[in-house]
Amino acid sequence: VGRAWGSRGMEAAAGSCRAPLSAWWGLLRGLLLTVLAAGSCQGNSVERKIYIPLNKTAPCVRLLNATHQIGCQSSISGDTGVIHVVEKEEDLNWVLADGPHPPYMILLDGNLFNRRVMLQLKGTSRVSGLAVATAKPSPPQGFSPGLKCPNDGFGVYSKDYGPQFAHCNKTVWNPVGSGLSYEDFDFPIFLLEDANETQVIKQCYQDHNVPRDGSGPEYPLCAMQLFSHMHAVTSTVTCMRRSSLQSTFSINPEVVCDPLLDYNVWSTLQPINSSGKVDPEKEVIIVATRIDSHSFFWNIAPGAESAVSSFVTHLAAAEALHKVSDVHLLQRNIMFTFFQGETFDYIGSSRMVYDMEKDKFPLRLDNIHSFVELNQVALRNDSILWMHTDPVSRMNESVGAQVRNLLDILSSSSVGANVTLQEAGYSQPLPPSSFQRFLRARHIPGVVLTDHKTAFQNRYYQSMYDTPENIRMQYPEGLSPEETLEYVTDTAKSLAEVATVVARALYRLAGGANNTSAIQADPKTVSRMLYGFLIKMNNSWFQSIIKPDIKGILGDVPQHYVAVSSPVNTTYLVQYVLANLTGTVVNLTKEECLNPEKTPSSEKEMYEYAWVQGSLDPNSTSRVPYCVRSTVHLSKALSPAFELRQWGSTEYSTWTESRWKEIRARIFLVASRELEIITLVVGIAILIFSLLATYFINAKADVLFSIPRDPGAVAY
């Protein structure tokens, strides 16, 4: 553009002398636009010279429920402050009292990221934000930003049902829980995921911000800017009402928050009509686990012990049962259920119970024979797995007898295995579990299996440190990604033993009479799942078992946060892993597999069909796709509170996530306030001088740019 205007200006200057002024203005305009165009091209590079973006970060975002808001946010234009590195508690004095350049952006060592320190920072105006460096190794004393009594008020125990067990009066399940995730901070807090970026910030601090001889450092100073402004405020009631009004009266509605939602994954051992209703006399055993986790930071939810250990064991047990030859003859069916959103007041399980009560699900509550739930199972002491039951419902003679039978079958199924099952105690209440939501609706015989008798063994519950290392996953050095995928760890062997015991017990509960010694979970399958769900989702096995059109879900580092867009990666992968382990490869073409209703023998009401990528052909780079038939289905995991528009509900989960415009972080050098004012004043002075000069030049243009008369053209 600049070149075009410049050539046009030169043509005008070289043209007829009858238009001298327009020629000069054309030339000036061409030069000006050339400069502007060059400036716009250089703009990005100038910004890169000023700012260093921090690309590997995770923000703390705002979540809301019926009564309040939690999380963090920045101001609408982002928050800025001078960086100060805090590696020990004494360093806080500079930020809170001594430092001469507030507000400060703190680079906080991960070992100091605790409730005591955070409440100090929350109570001062001298802090504008926080960047947290991950502690390596994990804090030895444990770190859990969750509540001491998870999902309190939404389980079965209340003033009307087992009041002595309500609010964790009998057992504090998560004693290291600080409740930090449930505080509200009015400044942004980011997690630094990349050690290299953390080092860059520390180097900038060392070069510019370190106090010299007890006095403040001199300008320029290293500063940080964090952007994480949240649109929603106050509570779910407020934000949902605003969003609803916008949707009703605005042509371009602006939604400010979204409900946390996803899908539950479920499958049955014997196929059922997913669009119909199971016969009232047909009994079904529900096996359940959760598949979501949480931490202080958005979408940082590794959940190795709190979620992955249990649902991987569950998947392995499902595979082992499907291999049994006489499962189609069992008098009771078994339903494998994977609940989403359980971290946030039992979203998935409460929705399934609601659908069962409203006849919106193939099963009714009356069909449930018994309930077996796998909770945290990876951190066992002396290979003991604890069986928890509900002491209140067991007071009913009939339920008590069924629970006793359930416990006996589980205990006897562990004979000869490297897992010992023990009863936690008749007076011990249930730990936080999906089973509690079913008990709220009906007295159902059930048991929850955990690796803890009382308080959690997991010292990193609902935190960023609930990683593979937390469940003692170890690999030899030097393995390739493919070798790591196939390597059978001790953790995998241990969880496979639990899956074996559970599968054998379920077979007997369902009416199986044959010897169960042949029922065996595969440690290799467990190893693959642990690697895929905890270390690297984008691996060759996961690639081979999913549909081609969703291969984009395979990111590098797995996270298991429920989120607001669905299905999330975890849900998809649990769905396709379950289909792969329990389904059947059928001889259908791609067209027939994608449209099974066109094939008379497909029994579309009983089965789901998926055309998956398949493994790579050994002799080429192409894949060998195939069709999988399974009984795996998805059902909504959206709290009934949003279906009923009861946003202030105390019966159902009301958690929402605020929307935001941008999330980013960057560092740069900031000048002193005096220099900034001088620069501004000088800039304004130059601007005024330029305007005055332009005015006078324009006013005297006929004199300044006049053409001398040709002497030969004088008339007599």
Side-chain angles (χ1 to χ4, degrees), residues 371-390:
F371 199 104
V372 177
E373 179 169 353
L374 287 161
N375 213 306
Q376 304 178 78
V377 294
L379 298 176
R380 302 191 304 284
N381 283 333
D382 301 322
S383 298
I384 297 174
L385 206 60
W386 295 97
M387 301 181 289
H388 299 263
T389 57
D390 173 40

Side-chain angles (χ1 to χ4, degrees), residues 603-614:
E603 298 182 280
K604 173 63 177 168
E605 300 80 11
M606 312 292 283
Y607 297 100
E608 291 289 329
Y609 292 80
W611 185 258
V612 300
Q613 291 194 119

